[in-house]
Amino acid sequence: MVRTDLKEPLLDHRFDDAPKTNAVFHLMDQHVELGHGFVPCLIESEPVSQSMSFGDFQAAVNNYSRIFQDNGICKDDKVLVLLKTGKVFHQTLLAIIRLGAIAVVCDHETACVTQIAEKEQIKIIVTDYTLRRLIEVNRLTTLQQVMFTEHMNQLTQTNQALDVVG
């Protein structure tokens, strides 16, 4: 069972013009509201071909949004996304956008992550263990936290396990 008991509404209900201008609403939420939650919205071919429905993807994005929100990410915060392209990258990107924060996306193969993070005054970096070596944390004056997707996935699984009705 996926967590749906969010403590407070996410971005869609925080701004006067939302959901009209929220990209996540138009890309995902609207499909679920129209009864198309079962329709595949994402197919990941590597390492194994698997698809994810709009409903499941929405739940995953909501869980990431809650984790980001619980860790202090707010509207207009700059969050550097240093991840390889895939399901987790897309979940992360939409979760940041849902909160009204600004996703600063770095190409992990060519980016000078530390320079970009310092220039953009990044508050939080979202990455995984394989890419953490690219970040020189001690040089970043505005950085408050580095979040690892492996930990976020563990939190999501723990939250889902707590919500299972016995």
Side-chain angles (χ1 to χ4, degrees), residues 118-131:
E118 190 62 29
K119 177 184 175 213
E120 296 297 332
Q121 299 182 333
I122 298 299
K123 179 178 180 179
I124 293 179
I125 296 175
V126 180
T127 191
D128 63 28
Y129 285 133
T130 63
L131 299 173

Side-chain angles (χ1 to χ4, degrees), residues 80-86 89 104-114 116 125-135:
L80 188 132
V81 179
L82 181 63
L83 295 168
K84 295 175 184 168
T85 303
F89 170 81
V104 178
V105 180
C106 281
D107 176 3
H108 65 277
E109 294 179 7
T110 59
C112 298
V113 177
T114 305
I116 293 168
I125 296 175
V126 180
T127 191
D128 63 28
Y129 285 133
T130 63
L131 299 173
R132 68 179 176 202
R133 61 178 163 55
L134 300 175
I135 307 164

Side-chain angles (χ1 to χ4, degrees), residues 11 23 40:
L11 176 73

Side-chain angles (χ1 to χ4, degrees), residues 20 46 115:
K20 291 181 237 166
E46 298 291 331
Q115 291 173 343

Side-chain angles (χ1 to χ4, degrees), residues 31-85:
H31 292 281
V32 175
E33 287 178 14
L34 293 172
H36 305 294
F38 62 92
V39 175
C41 73
L42 181 69
I43 297 174
E44 194 171 42
S45 60
E46 298 291 331
V48 201
S49 184
Q50 57 183 342
S51 68
M52 195 171 207
S53 69
F54 277 102
D56 290 342
F57 194 59
Q58 180 189 46
V61 169
N62 285 347
N63 281 324
Y64 270 27
S65 291
R66 173 61 55 214
I67 291 167
F68 291 149
Q69 195 173 48
D70 289 347
N71 282 278
I73 295 177
C74 302
K75 181 181 181 289
D76 296 328
D77 284 343
K78 290 184 179 178
V79 181
L80 188 132
V81 179
L82 181 63
L83 295 168
K84 295 175 184 168
T85 303

